[in-house]
Amino acid sequence: MGAVWGGVAYAHAGGPLIAKVGNTGIRQSALYNKLQTSYGNSMVQELVSEQLITDAATKYHIAATQAQLNTALSALEAQYQITSPTQLNLFLAQNNMTQADLNHILKLQVLEQNLAQRNVKITNTEIQSYYNQNKSTFIPTGKKTPAPLSQVKSQIVATLKQQKALSSTQLFASIAKWDPITIYDSKYAGVKSQIVGSGASSTSSAANVTSSGNTVSIP
């Protein structure tokens, strides 16, 4: 009985104090309500997107190779002009992340990319055509002629795969056909349509990894 009354008093009081200004207390519930209002929708969207990626990667035996993770990290470092471990640690601290958090985000981004490109096929004709149309971009520094196709073929293939890959919405909609999304809290009813588009079907009544799009994104 004492525990029950204690729980009632806790709820009425709005949880424990986390701060005080003068004689006015700021309670835990105020913090949670603020966080839910400001970030609840995006966090639910992120969690659902993460699970879709994880489930699809398991189903299709898709993995993120170390080389791909290294490339993703290099791209992030170039984007934020990070040139040393010290700067990377500062970046993590500024975004309230650990190295493990960053590794998780990069893995999800790579897995989403691999899933989006899973059925993409590139022909030799397409490779040759792209090379012919973009020769000027393959001229090495200090040279006047472009590098031979054999040297830049893998780069061209990667570019063409990115161009032909499914968008985040298309990818998640295709996954949701066999991995349905159900939203139980009406506050987040719009999350599904934000992830898979308004025309996708699932068991939900109506749910960008930051994705970037819908993909989990770096803050």
Side-chain angles (χ1 to χ4, degrees):
M1 181 65 72
V4 171
W5 282 113
V8 172
Y10 179 96
H12 286 174
L17 281 171
I18 59 173
K20 197 171 186 180
V21 180
N23 294 321
T24 303
I26 299 174
R27 296 194 175 272
Q28 191 178 69
S29 61
L31 171 63
Y32 289 168
N33 289 338
K34 190 74 172 178
L35 289 173
Q36 186 178 69
T37 300
S38 300
Y39 305 109
N41 193 77
S42 62
M43 288 306 299
V44 172
Q45 182 178 347
E46 183 171 307
L47 289 169
V48 172
S49 298
E50 282 190 25
Q51 196 59 53
L52 288 171
I53 293 170
T54 300
D55 290 350
T58 299
K59 178 181 175 69
Y60 297 119
H61 306 289
I62 299 294
T65 67
Q66 190 58 54
Q68 290 175 319
L69 293 172
N70 292 343
T71 298
L73 177 59
S74 296
L76 179 140
E77 290 176 335
Q79 179 181 354
Y80 291 97
Q81 300 181 327
I82 299 170
T83 59
S84 70
T86 299
Q87 290 181 332
L88 179 59
N89 289 334
L90 179 60
F91 170 83
L92 293 174
Q94 290 173 337
N95 288 282
N96 298 312
M97 289 194 300
T98 65
Q99 183 65 54
D101 293 331
L102 178 59
N103 292 343
H104 177 68
I105 291 172
L106 294 178
K107 180 179 179 181
L108 286 169
Q109 289 180 339
V110 170
L111 288 176
E112 181 183 350
Q113 175 181 297
N114 290 347
L115 287 165
Q117 298 178 5
R118 186 173 68 90
N119 293 319
V120 171
K121 305 297 182 184
I122 305 299
T123 67
N124 288 329
T125 300
E126 289 174 313
I127 295 171
Q128 185 67 60
S129 176
Y130 185 91
Y131 177 74
N132 292 341
Q133 294 174 17
N134 298 275
K135 282 186 177 182
S136 62
T137 65
F138 300 120
I139 300 176
T141 302
K143 303 289 185 179
K144 295 184 178 180
T145 57
L149 176 58
S150 59
Q151 289 184 11
V152 297
K153 183 176 180 178
S154 60
Q155 177 184 341
I156 294 174
V157 169
T159 299
L160 290 174
K161 281 187 174 182
Q162 289 177 355
Q163 292 178 355
K164 298 174 72 172
L166 295 175
S167 68
S168 293
T169 300
Q170 291 172 326
L171 174 63
F172 291 137
S174 68
I175 298 171
K177 289 179 181 179
W178 55 263
D179 198 20
I181 301 168
T182 304
I183 303 299
Y184 293 102
D185 192 324
S186 60
K187 290 194 299 295
Y188 308 117
V191 167
K192 177 192 165 186
S193 61
Q194 292 167 358
I195 294 175
V196 301
S198 59
S201 61
S202 88
T203 60
S204 173
S205 59
N208 77 14
V209 4
T210 103
S211 75
S212 27
N214 294 305
T215 308
V216 180
S217 61
I218 302 296

